[in-house]
Amino acid sequence: MDVVMLSRFQFAVASMFHFLFVPLTLGLSILTAIFETIYVKTGDEEYKRMAKFWGKLFLINFALGVVTGITLEFQFGTNWSRYSEYVGDIFGSLLAIEATLAFFLESTFIAVWHFGWRKLSPRLHCLTIWLVALASNISALWILLANGWMQHPVGYVIRNGRAELDNFMAVVTNPFGWQEFFHTVSGAYILSGFFVMGVSAYHLLRRQHISFFTKSFRVALTFALIFSLLEVFQGHIHGSEVAKIQPTKLAAMESLWETKKGAPLFLFLIPDEKNESNALELLPIPGALSLLAYHDPGAEVKGLKEFPPEERPPVTLTFLAFRTMVGLGFLFALLTIIGWFKRNRLLESRGYLKVMLYAIPLPYIALEAGWVVAEVGRQPWIVYGLMKTSEAVSPITASQVWPSLVAFILLYGFLGAVDFYLLAKFAKKGPESPEESSQVAPVTA
């Protein structure tokens, strides 16, 4: 592999590994805040134990997420220095705001929340976890606005041979960035809901802590149901934005080679990238692709052959990742709808509980697949239409990338094993007893 491919692979390894932790942080912080809010409102000590139990899992996940995220920032200097030099005015400002505003707020109040049970009143303590949740999601917003700018660059001028910031408001109100934000955080909330439901299902199947995990399951189910349905609707809106801004990505997502009016949507097809066609096309829905992309069943959808081969993204990978994400998205909506009708007889629904236990990895797969669609589907551009990935890499050799790539894989593999071991250990252990919980009761206002 050349230095460009190696650097891409290294960044993909680091970002996809980091993305295993971020979604659970985003959603579990909110669920922990919801549990603590119910405790403050009702005085039900069981909800305080829920906040502590799910909060502990949140803290483990947060710590590993921070460690794995730091190296991504360094790679903009080590592997992508020409990119940083060309667009640093814009991209760097968004990352700087994320770090100085959101990350410090999040980090500070996590400590206050963890150590403040006996030092703050219940209301003030509850406020700290809401600030953590808010900061976590604001952090995601700035990161995704930065990525949204790479997908759809706005608010810049080319001056002195580089892209310089010209309109900050255009950057922070970039519709593509906001679509990415809503799409990603909805997926994160689904993942967190499925995580809580899966762990709860594990204990309910063993008839342990029944009241505790029945309540946890129901709150997470409501949370996941709302965002599973919203995700289907929002995903359609985001897809329309992709059709308008990145027609090559849309064509790759659907493996559409010829430009067509009234383009059909094939429920099953096999791309044949080598011959610029599809090896198999089954079950077409006439006009459905045009309708989904442009809200008009007769609209023209550009095929991949409209664009030079060197400006097309990898088709098979983008297509498979997109179909995986969409298929799982509909499955999440179905599972949560079924769960809504079973929510009052969970113990009798052992088959459903087993499904939800084994479904824990599925939202992770869906989110990673979505990230592949976003990043691979944008190729060969690192900033769509403005700078190609091959132009962005640092003036280094492949032999300089190999050592760090191997080190990242080994280190992240170790950290991932530690994280999942700790999550599984404390999730299986279950919550602390009411007596243990009462030993650290917060002071009253």
Side-chain angles (χ1 to χ4, degrees):
M1 283 191 282
D2 62 16
V3 66
V4 176
M5 186 55 69
L6 273 176
S7 293
R8 285 180 61 191
F9 187 55
Q10 178 170 292
F11 199 83
V13 167
S15 59
M16 292 185 75
F17 191 82
H18 178 59
F19 204 49
L20 287 174
F21 305 101
V22 172
L24 186 58
T25 295
L26 296 178
L28 201 52
S29 61
I30 294 178
L31 282 167
T32 302
I34 291 172
F35 290 131
E36 189 165 348
T37 300
I38 297 174
Y39 158 63
V40 171
K41 283 186 169 293
T42 65
D44 186 338
E45 291 284 329
E46 198 162 46
Y47 282 100
K48 185 177 80 175
R49 293 169 59 220
M50 288 182 206
K52 288 184 176 181
F53 174 73
W54 297 112
K56 180 185 291 183
L57 300 182
F58 161 72
L59 289 174
I60 294 170
N61 193 75
F62 175 80
L64 269 294
V66 170
V67 172
T68 57
I70 291 172
T71 59
L72 286 170
E73 309 255 350
F74 283 113
Q75 287 183 57
F76 290 118
T78 56
N79 295 67
W80 303 102
S81 62
R82 286 175 174 146
Y83 165 80
S84 298
E85 181 181 358
Y86 191 68
V87 303
D89 267 20
I90 306 156
F91 194 80
S93 65
L94 299 174
L95 294 188
I97 294 171
E98 185 271 335
T100 55
L101 172 66
F103 182 68
F104 281 118
L105 180 67
E106 181 183 24
S107 303
T108 300
F109 280 97
I110 274 183
V112 175
W113 181 79
H114 181 64
F115 295 106
W117 284 103
R118 288 187 290 181
K119 300 182 184 301
L120 299 174
S121 71
R123 289 181 183 276
L124 275 179
H125 191 269
C126 184
L127 177 62
T128 62
I129 189 63
W130 276 113
L131 288 173
V132 170
L134 178 66
S136 298
N137 285 268
I138 290 176
S139 175
L141 172 63
W142 287 108
I143 295 294
L144 290 167
L145 284 177
N147 186 267
W149 187 84
M150 296 169 72
Q151 305 284 347
H152 179 46
V154 294
Y156 71 94
V157 294
I158 300 298
R159 186 183 298 135
N160 302 319
R162 57 198 292 270
E164 295 184 357
L165 186 62
D166 181 59
N167 186 340
F168 184 70
M169 286 306 296
V171 175
V172 298
T173 58
N174 183 357
F176 204 100
W178 281 92
Q179 292 285 351
E180 275 201 325
F181 172 71
F182 287 122
H183 196 58
T184 305
V185 296
S186 294
Y189 299 160
I190 295 169
L191 182 149
S192 304
F194 271 69
F195 178 82
V196 172
M197 286 191 287
V199 173
S200 299
Y202 172 85
H203 289 280
L204 291 176
L205 283 166
R206 286 159 179 75
R207 295 188 176 271
Q208 303 170 161
H209 312 288
I210 291 174
S211 173
F212 182 99
F213 284 110
T214 298
K215 290 177 180 176
S216 294
F217 193 107
R218 288 174 182 163
V219 171
L221 171 65
T222 305
F223 191 68
L225 173 62
I226 291 170
F227 287 100
S228 294
L229 297 178
L230 282 176
E231 188 75 312
V232 172
F233 175 70
Q234 198 279 330
H236 165 64
I237 297 174
H238 190 37
S240 299
E241 190 78 7
V242 170
K244 185 172 63 177
I245 304 295
Q246 298 182 346
T248 52
K249 180 186 285 185
L250 177 76
M253 286 158 57
E254 295 295 345
S255 190
L256 180 72
W257 295 94
E258 306 289 345
T259 298
K260 292 181 180 178
K261 289 185 177 179
L265 178 68
F266 290 94
L267 295 182
F268 183 81
L269 67 78
I270 300 175
D272 182 359
E273 203 164 344
K274 183 178 179 182
N275 294 308
E276 299 187 342
S277 64
N278 294 323
L280 185 66
E281 295 178 335
L282 293 175
L283 305 174
I285 303 176
L289 180 54
S290 293
L291 180 64
L292 290 172
Y294 298 106
H295 308 128
D296 175 3
E300 179 181 281
V301 182
K302 288 187 176 180
L304 287 159
K305 291 183 180 178
E306 286 283 335
F307 307 94
E310 64 274 15
E311 293 192 2
R312 301 174 192 164
V315 177
T316 303
L317 180 57
T318 306
F319 168 81
L320 292 175
F322 178 66
R323 288 294 172 106
T324 301
M325 177 187 68
V326 172
L328 289 174
F330 280 104
L331 178 62
F332 301 148
L334 176 63
L335 287 176
T336 50
I337 290 171
I338 292 172
W340 184 255
F341 291 104
K342 291 181 177 292
R343 69 188 187 283
N344 293 324
R345 45 190 174 87
L346 288 171
L347 286 177
E348 293 78 32
S349 306
R350 294 184 62 81
Y352 178 72
L353 290 177
K354 288 180 181 176
V355 169
M356 296 310 291
L357 171 59
Y358 293 118
I360 290 177
L362 297 182
Y364 286 94
I365 295 172
L367 280 163
E368 295 286 0
W371 202 241
V372 169
V373 173
E375 299 303 293
V376 176
R378 190 188 59 223
Q379 298 304 317
W381 304 97
I382 192 168
V383 180
Y384 195 78
L386 181 63
M387 184 182 202
K388 289 191 172 179
T389 307
S390 57
E391 301 167 343
V393 74
S394 299
I396 54 178
T397 63
S399 62
Q400 291 175 295
V401 182
W402 272 113
S404 56
L405 173 59
V406 172
F408 275 131
I409 291 173
L410 293 177
L411 176 63
Y412 283 179
F414 171 73
L415 291 175
V418 169
D419 180 75
F420 289 119
Y421 168 76
L422 291 175
L423 285 177
K425 176 184 176 181
F426 287 104
K428 287 180 178 178
K429 183 181 177 183
E432 58 188 22
S433 67
E435 292 74 22
E436 290 172 321
S437 179
S438 64
Q439 292 174 5
V440 289
V443 299
T444 56

